[in-house]
Amino acid sequence: MKFNYSKFLLTLVMFTVSFATFAQAPDPDSLVGGGDPPAPINSKLIYLAIIGIAFAYYQFNANRKRA
C-alpha cells in the first residue's frame, strides 16, 4: 500500500482549521449579563488524542491484513 502524503496533509490542515474555528476564547464581557459559560475542551484533549491514535493504529492494522 502506497502512503499518500497529500491526503494526510489535507486531513491535518482541515482538522487544524476546524479546531481553530470552533475553539475560540470566550468574550468576558458577554458573560456579565448571564448566559451559559463556555465548555472547557482542554480537559478532554488528552483523551481525544489517545482515542485518535488507537483508532489510527486499528485502521492501519486492518488495512495491512486485507492487503
Side-chain angles (χ1 to χ4, degrees):
M1 184 176 118
K2 183 179 174 185
F3 187 72
N4 196 348
Y5 288 106
S6 62
K7 287 183 183 178
F8 176 73
L9 291 176
L10 181 63
T11 303
L12 190 62
V13 167
M14 294 302 285
F15 173 73
T16 304
V17 168
S18 174
F19 186 76
T21 56
F22 289 109
Q24 296 294 323
D27 185 18
D29 295 333
S30 67
L31 296 178
V32 172
D36 296 330
I41 60 169
N42 291 339
S43 62
K44 305 296 183 204
L45 287 178
I46 298 296
Y47 299 126
L48 183 63
I50 291 170
I51 291 170
I53 291 170
F55 181 71
Y57 179 76
Y58 170 76
Q59 288 294 323
F60 283 131
N61 279 342
N63 285 337
R64 259 191 217 158
K65 289 180 182 177
R66 280 188 255 166

